[in-house]
Amino acid sequence: CQPRLLLLVVSLTVGSISLRTFNRTTEASNERQQDVIYNAATPAIDRAKAKLEYMFDEDQDTRYPGGIPNENFLVGMMLNRPGGTLVRGLTVPDHYPDGPTNDPYKFPDEERIKIAPAGSDLGYSYDVDNAWTFPADTDGDGEADATIAYSILMQTPSNQLELQDSRPRAIQDRAGLLQVRNGPLSNTTQANSACRRGGANAPEGGWTPDPNASATIVRKNFQVNAFVLPNDPANTAVSTLEFFQDRKVNRGNKWGAWFRNDLEIFPGPAFNWNGAMHTEGSLIVGKPSPQRDRSSPAT
């Protein structure tokens, strides 16, 4: 009886150790696959950052407008359709500095794709979005064994207070419209204990004023999502990355004149002014010159 009991105990011990070893080996293999897939998604983030840098470089993309660029204009710049891009009634010219087939917003190994659900009101009706795919070699054997997809989102709700709604359903609805998950994270209001996620009720072309930074500072959040899908169906490890980049624009000083004392203005034959005037004293405006054309409005 004792030998049989001893044999049973040894069998249970060996079986337990073997099962634990198998489970640990499986966990380590899965973790390694996840790390490999995760590392493969990192270049997609770098590609997106390069495209954003290119778009905001006036020497590179000469379409970049002066002042605060409307988010619809930025969407059209990156879509860059031949012959021009129409986004919510705003026409953005195309930009092909190296020839009609060389889109600066599409790397040679990339393909543009459509990711928005059918019927989504994006402000444009094209068969592609600001999203791309490219092949990747995750194991270093020289053969592409995975497909990486990434997107750059920059659109916001017309009422940016909706960005404060972090319920899963609200986030899903914004994702279907290719809108960013939340407002600019670099706004100084994000540092308070309430951890506000949204911005102003009336944004300036999709840009959020930062009330605690400066009256001239507006910010915008750009959201990058990357997804890696292995080509081997047996490899169930997938990876997603989400990256946020805030951009800041100084809308300039609106004051054309600021006086600590009295401000006296005596227009001459031609007097044009661009900007607001402020005086801490009295504002004294003289009569226009007789030579001035009374039919033209004063500026």
Side-chain angles (χ1 to χ4, degrees):
C1 182
Q2 292 182 353
R4 293 181 180 179
L5 180 61
L6 179 62
L7 182 59
L8 177 61
V9 171
V10 172
S11 300
L12 292 175
T13 303
V14 172
S16 161
I17 295 176
S18 299
L19 179 61
R20 184 173 181 179
T21 301
F22 174 78
N23 291 337
R24 180 54 187 160
T25 301
T26 303
E27 291 177 0
S29 177
N30 291 337
E31 290 178 0
R32 180 182 178 280
Q33 290 180 357
Q34 291 176 357
D35 289 340
V36 170
I37 299 300
Y38 179 88
N39 293 335
T42 304
I45 302 296
D46 294 334
R47 293 186 181 214
K49 292 167 63 177
K51 292 179 180 180
L52 289 173
E53 291 295 332
Y54 184 92
M55 184 173 64
F56 280 90
D57 189 340
E58 300 178 17
D59 296 330
Q60 296 286 341
D61 195 333
T62 55
R63 300 172 299 171
Y64 187 82
I68 302 176
N70 187 286
E71 69 176 19
N72 295 325
F73 193 89
L74 296 177
V75 170
M77 288 178 65
M78 190 164 288
L79 283 173
N80 200 26
R81 307 304 296 164
T85 307
L86 182 64
V87 182
R88 298 197 184 281
L90 183 63
T91 301
V92 183
D94 58 18
H95 175 67
Y96 293 89
D98 298 324
T101 61
N102 294 323
D103 182 0
Y105 293 101
K106 186 179 80 68
F107 291 107
D109 62 340
E110 292 182 346
E111 292 293 336
R112 286 185 178 267
I113 59 174
K114 185 73 174 178
I115 60 174
S120 299
D121 181 16
L122 306 176
Y124 58 86
S125 56
Y126 300 106
D127 58 351
V128 294
D129 297 314
N130 284 324
W132 304 262
T133 63
F134 63 93
D137 177 18
T138 62
D139 55 11
D141 63 353
E143 297 291 337
D145 53 19
T147 300
I148 301 178
Y150 70 99
S151 62
I152 301 178
L153 308 183
M154 62 189 78
Q155 293 177 291
T156 57
S158 57
N159 183 353
Q160 287 202 351
L161 293 179
E162 296 179 12
L163 294 175
Q164 298 183 21
D165 190 349
S166 59
R167 293 176 299 174
R169 179 63 183 179
I171 294 177
Q172 182 179 354
D173 291 341
R174 292 199 295 272
L177 296 174
L178 302 189
Q179 295 176 351
V180 295
R181 181 188 298 270
N182 48 256
L185 299 177
S186 58
N187 267 5
T188 55
T189 54
Q190 299 292 340
N192 64 20
S193 58
C195 191
R196 294 178 58 189
R197 299 171 58 89
N201 185 26
E204 299 186 19
W207 294 76
T208 304
D210 191 345
N212 295 334
S214 170
T216 63
I217 298 298
V218 291
R219 306 178 191 272
K220 185 170 182 58
N221 179 30
F222 293 83
Q223 178 180 320
V224 179
N225 294 96
F227 175 76
V228 182
L229 178 65
N231 296 341
D232 184 3
N235 186 356
T236 58
V238 297
S239 178
T240 59
L241 290 180
E242 191 168 78
F243 169 81
F244 296 98
Q245 182 182 95
D246 286 359
R247 288 279 176 167
K248 179 180 71 173
V249 172
N250 192 327
R251 54 186 168 186
N253 194 335
K254 71 175 183 178
W255 301 106
W258 184 288
F259 282 73
R260 291 188 298 174
N261 301 310
D262 294 344
L263 174 58
E264 301 180 13
I265 302 174
F266 295 92
F271 185 78
N272 298 316
W273 189 265
N274 184 17
M277 295 182 181
H278 175 86
T279 175
E280 300 290 341
S282 299
L283 175 62
I284 304 171
V285 181
K287 292 183 178 180
S289 171
Q291 292 80 12
R292 180 176 176 84
D293 184 2
R294 297 298 183 89
S295 63
S296 60
T299 303

